Amino acid sequence: MSIATPAPVEPTEPADSAAWSGGVAVRPASAWWVLIAGVIGLVASATLMIEKVEMLKNPAYVPSCSINPVLSCGSVMATPQASVFGFPNPLMGVAGFAVVVVTGVLAVAKIRLPRWYWAGLTLGVALGAVLVHWLIFQTLYRIGALCPYCMVVWSMTIPLLVVSASIALRPLAGNPVARVLYTWRWSIVALWFTAVILMILVRFWNYWSTLI
């Protein structure tokens, strides 16, 4: 009589590792938002880069977004803050939003990317958000002018951070803090927009009041 030998057991991947390495299903609304935000941010960044090149070629050039003393891209792009790392800031936007566009296309096509990829994207967008807030402060309280195309980038970065974080951090849904942040995420975004708009209104009220 032969004794049956047990079949070899394949090593299983730890649950935590599988959660982060497995492909993530992204809701259509989130996928489209990533794509749309990426396209808008890329167009705004590329336009800024083109305007910057024109200014370098011709110091007398007036950018298309220099509308009045407050809404003046030229005033902003001529400052050191416009080249934080020694090269024009829009280059970072072009590179970063290009990645976002590709990610959005893949997500819309229902191609599942690993969660670690979404986590990396979220980290990159978070770093961009930090830079955005620094630039908001510099624009309002040091430069004293607003760049419309820059504000388009601002307005895309924060919601994009919320969406990418919602996708990447889904395994933390059981965490009470994460659950509260997820539940109120769009309210937080709305408060952010409200705060920025109010700061702009207050900072340049002397000019806005002349238009009334």
Side-chain angles (χ1 to χ4, degrees):
M1 182 177 65
S2 60
I3 300 175
T5 57
V9 178
E10 295 292 334
T12 57
E13 188 177 12
D16 290 345
S17 176
W20 287 97
S21 62
V24 178
V26 179
R27 296 173 181 172
S30 297
W32 277 105
W33 172 251
V34 171
L35 177 58
I36 292 170
V39 169
I40 294 175
L42 180 59
V43 170
S45 298
T47 304
L48 274 170
M49 193 64 241
I50 293 171
E51 298 282 19
K52 178 65 175 180
V53 170
E54 291 297 327
M55 287 183 63
L56 292 174
K57 289 164 55 178
N58 178 14
Y61 175 76
V62 178
S64 60
C65 49
S66 290
I67 302 169
N68 56 45
V70 172
L71 299 174
S72 177
C73 287
S75 300
V76 176
M77 288 192 287
T79 65
Q81 291 93 325
S83 301
V84 178
F85 299 106
F87 54 85
N89 295 343
L91 281 177
M92 291 185 286
V94 170
F97 281 112
V99 173
V100 174
V101 169
V102 173
T103 303
V105 170
L106 295 175
V108 169
K110 300 186 184 303
I111 296 176
R112 297 191 175 193
L113 298 170
R115 197 172 303 280
W116 61 260
Y117 175 88
W118 286 103
L121 180 67
T122 301
L123 177 60
V125 177
L127 293 174
V130 172
L131 179 60
V132 160
H133 285 85
W134 182 80
L135 290 172
I136 290 174
F137 175 82
Q138 294 295 320
T139 296
L140 292 178
Y141 304 110
R142 295 293 181 268
I143 301 172
L146 296 171
C147 168
Y149 294 143
C150 301
M151 290 191 289
V152 172
V153 173
W154 302 350
S155 64
M156 292 298 103
T157 301
I158 303 307
L160 181 60
L161 175 61
V162 170
V163 173
S164 62
S166 298
I167 297 170
L169 303 180
R170 199 173 298 162
L172 300 179
N175 183 284
V177 176
R179 187 165 58 249
V180 170
L181 290 175
Y182 180 82
T183 301
W184 293 95
R185 65 194 186 284
W186 293 117
S187 297
I188 294 171
V189 171
L191 285 174
W192 181 86
F193 274 100
T194 302
V196 172
I197 291 171
L198 287 175
M199 286 191 295
I200 291 173
L201 287 174
V202 171
R203 174 64 180 84
F204 300 107
W205 181 249
N206 288 338
Y207 177 77
W208 305 132
S209 60
T210 64
L211 304 178
I212 300 176

